[in-house]
């Protein structure tokens, strides 16, 4: 390796090591359990919490293919008190996000789409394929995931995170727009036709946020008003037993947020009460 390349590689290693060791406050680091060195789980292990829509996408695949004997599901706190910001977690996923899958050889697979592709590939012979039957329908399922991952997931925090009121309102308007995009995209009854597929897996957990949060905290009359195809799709998804299980898990997580008065504590309710913005995106 040329000296300049070696120096750049060394700087990169230092930045990653710094992210993995300095993210938690020093006081917390003392309380955190010792990070397992070179985490090597017995089974492929998915890290995520019930309320995370990103992790929920992957749990759906695991449940649908009945892989719970093969794949372990754990909370990020297994790797440290700071969860996704624990040094041991950051060493496996420097982005500090869930989900993350760790394989028995220590290989770390972050990103819900990567984990999903791995599960669908590795266990292609187990349970339903979750692949739409034609290239055109598979393209539609991929498009649903792209719309979700590029245009919805990055702004979903506007429903439940602390932020400036004007930015929040702009992002809620963008969500309303993306719902209109999805209304045109869904084939029916599922995203890519007759069978539930990875295209639905990408979308439906985020609809738990939409349906639980937007009417209750932002005064939306309905997420589905003027969107009949999406309304029928949501009914079809909820009738799927494994989707219903994931939806219930997420709702329980949201109930904890409600019990903790998250929207009041973060000042979201006060922003909405101010009424200077069109929160219902009508
Ligand atoms: N593109 C990523 C997004 C991951 C992501 O943003 N995960 C959220 C939960 S849905 C998270 O880990 N948030 C915790 C944090 O940012 O501290 C994926 O699809 O996996």
């Amino acid at each position: 390796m040329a000296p300049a390349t070696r120096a750049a590689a060394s700087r990169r290693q230092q930045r990653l090591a710094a992210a993995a060791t300095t993210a938690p406050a020093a006081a917390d680091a003392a309380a955190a359990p010792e990070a397992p060195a070179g985490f090597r789980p017995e089974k492929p292990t998915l890290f995520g919490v019930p309320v995370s829509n990103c992790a929920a996408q992957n749990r759906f695949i695991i449940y649908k293919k009945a892989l719970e004997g093969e794949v372990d599901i754990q909370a990020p706190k297994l790797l440290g008190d700071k969860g996704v910001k624990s040094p041991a977690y950051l060493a496996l996923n420097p982005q500090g996000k869930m989900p993350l899958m760790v394989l028995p050889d220590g290989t770390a697979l972050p990103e819900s789409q990567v984990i999903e592709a791995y599960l669908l590939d590795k266990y292609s012979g187990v349970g339903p394929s979750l692949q739409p039957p034609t290239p055109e329908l598979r393209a539609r399922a991929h498009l649903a995931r792209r719309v979700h991952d590029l245009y919805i997931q990055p702004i979903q925090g506007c429903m439940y995170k602390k932020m400036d009121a004007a930015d929040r309102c702009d992002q809620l308007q963008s969500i309303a727009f993306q719902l209109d995009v999805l209304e045109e995209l869904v084939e029916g009854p599922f995203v890519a036709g007759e069978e539930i597929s990875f295209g639905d897996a990408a979308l439906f957990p985020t609809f738990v946020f939409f349906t639980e949060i937007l009417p209750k905290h932002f005064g939306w009359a309905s997420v589905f008003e003027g969107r009949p195809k999406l309304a029928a799709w949501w009914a079809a998804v909820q009738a799927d037993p494994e989707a219903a299980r994931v939806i219930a898990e997420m709702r329980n997580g949201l109930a904890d947020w409600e019990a903790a008065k998250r929207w009041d504590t973060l000042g979201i309710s006060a922003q909405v009460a101010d009424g200077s913005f069109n929160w219902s995106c009508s």
Side-chain angles (χ1 to χ4, degrees):
M1 202 189 280
T5 315
R6 206 166 31 241
S10 155
R11 280 196 300 278
R12 191 166 56 248
Q13 287 306 329
Q14 280 167 15
R15 278 196 300 272
L16 287 171
T21 55
T22 62
D28 295 322
E34 197 56 33
F39 182 65
R40 296 273 190 284
E42 234 170 72
K43 298 176 184 175
T45 300
L46 178 74
F47 287 98
V49 296
V51 79
S52 158
N53 56 327
C54 306
Q57 298 172 19
N58 295 152
R59 285 203 308 281
F60 172 71
I61 305 287
I62 292 168
Y63 298 163
K64 206 71 195 160
K65 285 180 165 286
L67 295 174
E68 282 173 278
E70 316 271 335
V71 177
D72 210 3
I73 300 177
Q74 293 287 350
K77 284 202 169 173
L78 183 75
L79 296 180
D81 278 358
K82 283 281 181 180
V84 295
K85 308 301 183 210
S86 301
Y89 194 96
L90 289 168
L92 292 161
N93 180 8
Q95 309 290 357
K97 303 273 184 199
M98 62 189 120
L100 164 71
M101 176 162 270
V102 185
L103 305 182
D105 70 356
T107 301
L109 301 176
E111 293 293 322
S112 55
Q113 189 196 1
V114 172
I115 298 166
E116 174 182 281
Y118 174 78
L119 290 171
L120 293 180
D121 186 5
K122 180 85 180 171
Y123 302 100
S124 59
V126 181
S129 78
L130 299 170
Q131 303 277 357
T134 67
E136 291 72 22
L137 289 171
R138 286 195 287 282
R140 190 171 288 249
H142 282 297
L143 181 56
R145 179 172 259 293
R146 291 289 282 180
V147 168
H148 177 270
D149 290 2
L150 292 178
Y151 307 119
I152 297 175
Q153 201 283 330
I155 58 167
Q156 68 181 41
C158 70
M159 292 182 280
Y160 56 79
K161 282 187 176 170
K162 192 176 176 70
M163 65 164 64
D164 171 78
D167 290 346
R168 187 187 306 286
C169 196
D170 278 355
Q171 293 184 8
L172 285 170
Q173 297 285 347
S174 298
I175 284 183
F177 172 75
Q178 297 304 333
L179 285 167
D180 292 338
V181 170
L182 292 177
E183 171 71 10
E184 297 304 316
L185 198 158
V186 165
E187 176 84 12
F190 294 104
V191 163
E194 294 304 314
E195 300 292 331
I196 201 161
S197 74
F198 69 83
D200 303 281
L203 295 183
F204 83 78
T206 307
F207 274 72
V208 179
F209 286 159
F210 294 156
T211 54
E212 296 289 321
I213 299 175
L214 295 175
K216 184 163 191 175
H217 294 286
F218 296 97
W220 287 37
S222 164
V223 169
F224 301 110
E225 198 170 77
R227 301 181 182 111
K229 281 168 66 188
L230 273 185
W233 166 80
W234 182 235
V237 164
Q238 287 181 100
D240 178 273
E242 288 78 22
R245 179 177 170 191
V246 171
I247 290 168
E249 289 168 350
M250 285 190 66
R251 283 186 178 144
N252 282 341
L254 280 175
D256 292 343
W257 285 5
E258 290 289 353
K261 303 216 171 298
R262 180 184 181 103
W263 286 267
D264 296 344
T265 314
L266 295 181
I268 302 172
S269 310
Q271 283 178 343
V272 175
D274 171 352
S276 326
F277 295 91
N278 177 14
W279 297 109
S280 61
C281 302
S282 49

